[in-house]
Amino acid sequence: MKKYFLILMSFFVLLALFGCVPTPEEEFIKQKDSNTMLEQAKTNENGTRVIDVLASAGINSTENNSNGNLPIETYQYEATDSTGFVHLKVDAKIVLPDVEHLPIARVSSVPFTEAEVEALYRALQSDTVTIASDGPLFKGFWQPTLDDLTKQYQNGVYDDKYDTAEDVMKAMQDVMQKMEKEPDKPIPIKPDFSFQKLDDYSLTAEITGVREDRYVSRLSVQNNTDADYMTAWVEAEYIRDIQQYGLLNRSIEAHSMSRGSTISSRWGMLYENNIPIVPPQIEESIAFRMAEQVIETAELRDYVCTGKCVTPFYQHLEDIRDGCPGKYEFIFTRKVNGAAETFMNTAIACGSEEEAVRAEWPYERIHIYVDDQGIFAFLFYGKSKVSQIINPQATMLPFSEIQSIFEKQFLVRCGDYVAGRTGDGERTYEITEVRLGLQRIFEKDRLVDGLLVPTWSFFGTYTDEKGFKYGLDGHDAWFTINAVDGTIIDPYIGY
């Protein structure tokens, strides 16, 4: 999947259509030096209580909602940019984390250890028979493929790989030849959690497991060994059945090469075509407990669930006109002193075009997908560690000042005259939630460190000039403000 990040920046101009991309000509709030913010943070020992950030606005609430956060009334606002084409509508719930203070912390990218690979194995594959990843499979592995081809041949309805019955028959013969060469049963080996050299820059630990003498799962853990690339591309991926990897691959691509609105376009495509998402039959609470069990068994104690949805899995719209199968997706992010990093769809901090030495750095995320058969997939990107608590009690600006910055700057950054935008139709941003939490930003003059700082993130939807809607999964943040110094943060750039 590393091949995808090499084309990231080619999307930059296009992505101006979907998000808030700044240009040099615009009158923005000046970006402050992160070192200046850190010096100020160190001198402010008695920080702002979370509940007090709204005091100046005359808003107060202490009623907990179901997810442990504090819902604080709503924030309403409407505006249109100077062209009259781009509209901003805010009717948002303000959500505060259920902690007394928010910290500022330094985090660093770190590789996986063999002990951590073993812990992931216990959480995801302990009920499988381990076989050699580069060795023979077994006859039963090919049976589902043969069954599917037989069905196509009998029905005369072929997928996009085949044009004629002769094509399908040839594919059936190829599969049967492969089956003949395989052993009848999986050949077990002892699990190996060590890393092997994949190429000049990567080490990989891979474990292949078999369930029910039929389904082959794979756990792949990768560390980057290039010191100049800050080991940012450390990742772990697991899928229950490698023959379904094509379904998962769209999620993997989205979380490794896209900013938020492109990820959420999967929901937009279904919405536009009136295709419902069909959730699993098991209750969400049961599915969540399965995901939590993985987190607990893998000893991932420093992470908490901060996002969830029913994620559609499809490859071609014509195949799902009657309903798109969905899987529960639970997203876990890092917590520091009880405060969690805010989850948003933006997957990677890419740095600016001027920073040739800045490596793309995935945001630290754990995605767990659950369906009626259990854990379908597990993705862990951007593994990091907290190397220092710079200030356990950050001093934050009052929300009234954050609100003023947002109202002055949103349409400057997201309005019609932003360079790279096209089209003459109406566009609308609808902000439905404003969330206070932690967000990682690049630290000035440090390639291997970032800062977790308090931020306000503005979530909602964006409807383009063609009526296509982004953000329907609820995880697109269209604007982010540093709660400490009021600077605007572009998560796609990383500061």
Side-chain angles (χ1 to χ4, degrees):
M1 58 180 286
K2 300 304 171 299
K3 62 182 179 181
Y4 297 115
F5 70 73
L6 296 177
I7 61 172
L8 264 169
M9 297 312 298
S10 66
F11 285 85
F12 192 77
V13 174
L14 175 63
L15 291 172
L17 293 171
F18 303 139
C20 308
V21 179
T23 61
E25 303 82 31
E26 298 160 9
E27 297 178 359
F28 299 149
I29 292 178
K30 186 178 180 181
Q31 178 72 28
K32 297 181 182 178
D33 191 324
S34 61
N35 290 344
T36 302
M37 183 194 70
L38 287 179
E39 289 304 316
Q40 294 174 344
K42 292 175 183 177
T43 60
N44 295 327
E45 296 181 357
N46 297 317
T48 309
R49 291 197 311 160
V50 166
I51 196 64
D52 290 338
V53 296
L54 297 165
S56 62
I59 303 173
N60 188 27
S61 173
T62 57
E63 180 184 357
N64 285 335
N65 67 9
S66 60
N67 64 8
N69 292 298
L70 301 174
I72 311 294
E73 306 248 335
T74 57
Y75 161 38
Q76 282 108 8
Y77 175 73
E78 289 194 22
T80 299
D81 81 335
S82 59
T83 69
F85 284 130
V86 182
H87 309 284
L88 169 63
K89 298 179 181 180
V90 181
D91 187 0
K93 179 175 67 175
I94 302 175
V95 180
L96 303 182
D98 191 17
V99 294
E100 188 170 3
H101 294 91
L102 288 178
I104 297 176
R106 180 172 286 118
V107 292
S108 306
S109 175
V110 292
F112 284 95
T113 66
E114 291 185 12
E116 289 168 333
V117 175
E118 184 175 0
L120 289 173
Y121 165 82
R122 289 196 303 269
L124 298 165
Q125 288 184 305
S126 61
D127 61 340
T128 67
V129 174
T130 303
I131 64 173
S133 297
D134 57 353
L137 292 166
F138 53 96
K139 286 183 170 55
F141 172 80
W142 298 101
Q143 193 61 51
T145 302
L146 184 60
D147 292 343
D148 179 66
L149 290 170
T150 302
K151 182 179 178 181
Q152 292 184 51
Y153 184 79
Q154 292 174 343
N155 295 342
V157 179
Y158 316 129
D159 64 25
D160 55 6
K161 295 180 182 179
Y162 313 108
D163 295 322
T164 66
E166 288 73 18
D167 294 337
V168 178
M169 177 59 71
K170 176 63 167 57
M172 292 170 63
Q173 292 171 347
D174 291 342
V175 170
M176 287 187 286
Q177 288 176 2
K178 291 177 181 178
M179 290 179 70
E180 283 298 316
K181 298 177 182 179
E182 301 282 16
D184 292 335
K185 296 287 185 179
I187 301 175
I189 64 169
K190 183 179 179 180
D192 181 4
F193 309 115
S194 64
F195 286 87
Q196 308 299 321
K197 188 173 183 180
L198 181 65
D199 52 38
D200 291 341
Y201 306 107
S202 301
L203 296 173
T204 297
E206 187 170 280
I207 302 173
T208 302
V210 180
R211 287 185 179 88
E212 303 174 16
D213 288 344
R214 183 166 183 174
Y215 302 104
V216 177
S217 67
R218 181 158 293 162
L219 171 65
S220 178
V221 183
Q222 182 166 312
N223 289 332
N224 190 299
T225 60
D226 184 355
D228 293 331
Y229 222 78
M230 65 184 279
T231 68
W233 282 98
V234 294
E235 60 189 36
E237 296 177 358
Y238 162 83
I239 185 166
R240 183 180 62 214
D241 182 358
I242 61 174
Q243 299 210 58
Q244 293 187 306
Y245 191 82
L247 285 177
L248 181 64
N249 195 46
R250 292 197 65 188
S251 291
I252 290 176
E253 288 185 19
H255 291 296
S256 60
M257 66 178 293
S258 302
R259 75 187 293 152
S261 54
T262 308
I263 294 174
S264 68
S265 66
R266 290 175 293 175
W267 281 261
M269 289 293 292
L270 300 180
Y271 175 81
E272 185 178 52
N273 289 275
N274 296 312
I275 299 174
I277 300 176
V278 182
Q281 294 183 4
I282 63 171
E283 295 180 7
E284 180 185 302
S285 59
I286 298 175
F288 179 58
R289 181 56 194 149
M290 292 180 185
E292 279 191 318
Q293 187 62 53
V294 170
I295 295 294
E296 293 170 7
T297 305
E299 301 179 16
L300 298 168
R301 303 180 183 89
D302 296 327
Y303 302 88
V304 62
C305 184
T306 52
K308 61 182 181 180
C309 55
V310 177
T311 298
F313 277 78
Y314 65 93
Q315 291 180 292
H316 307 287
L317 285 178
E318 55 268 23
D319 298 331
I320 56 167
R321 289 294 176 181
D322 296 331
C324 177
K327 302 182 189 298
Y328 293 115
E329 179 179 5
F330 302 101
I331 304 101
F332 293 78
T333 59
R334 177 171 292 282
K335 60 180 178 181
V336 182
N337 290 3
E341 184 177 356
T342 300
F343 171 69
M344 62 183 71
N345 277 332
T346 305
I348 297 174
C350 298
S352 68
E353 291 181 326
E354 291 75 28
E355 295 180 299
V357 298
R358 174 74 73 185
E360 292 122 352
W361 189 2
Y363 287 104
E364 190 173 23
R365 305 283 189 260
I366 298 172
H367 301 261
I368 301 179
Y369 300 92
V370 184
D371 58 18
D372 293 323
Q373 286 72 50
I375 304 298
F376 172 73
F378 171 97
L379 309 175
F380 187 174
Y381 299 132
K383 180 176 175 288
S384 303
K385 70 174 182 179
V386 176
S387 53
Q388 181 184 5
I389 303 293
I390 294 171
N391 190 336
Q393 300 181 3
T395 299
M396 296 179 286
L397 299 172
F399 182 73
S400 57
E401 189 167 339
I402 299 297
Q403 180 179 332
S404 176
I405 294 169
F406 173 79
E407 293 175 5
K408 291 177 181 177
Q409 291 293 312
F410 186 89
L411 287 175
V412 172
R413 292 198 163 219
C414 303
D416 187 70
Y417 54 84
V418 173
R421 289 186 178 276
T422 59
D424 299 320
E426 303 281 321
R427 273 94 73 199
T428 302
Y429 292 91
E430 296 184 70
I431 304 301
T432 56
E433 181 177 287
V434 183
R435 180 176 291 273
L436 177 63
L438 300 177
Q439 169 73 36
R440 194 197 72 201
I441 60 175
F442 282 125
E443 186 171 2
K444 184 177 175 62
D445 300 325
R446 287 176 177 260
L447 289 180
V448 295
D449 297 312
L451 298 173
L452 281 176
V453 301
T455 58
W456 289 97
S457 298
F458 294 74
F459 290 87
T461 61
Y462 167 66
T463 305
D464 67 16
E465 64 270 19
K466 297 180 181 180
F468 193 90
K469 185 169 286 192
Y470 300 88
L472 290 170
D473 65 335
H475 299 311
D476 273 355
W478 300 103
F479 210 68
T480 302
I481 301 175
N482 189 322
V484 176
D485 62 12
T487 52
I488 311 303
I489 295 172
D490 184 343
Y492 183 68
I493 295 176
Y495 54 81

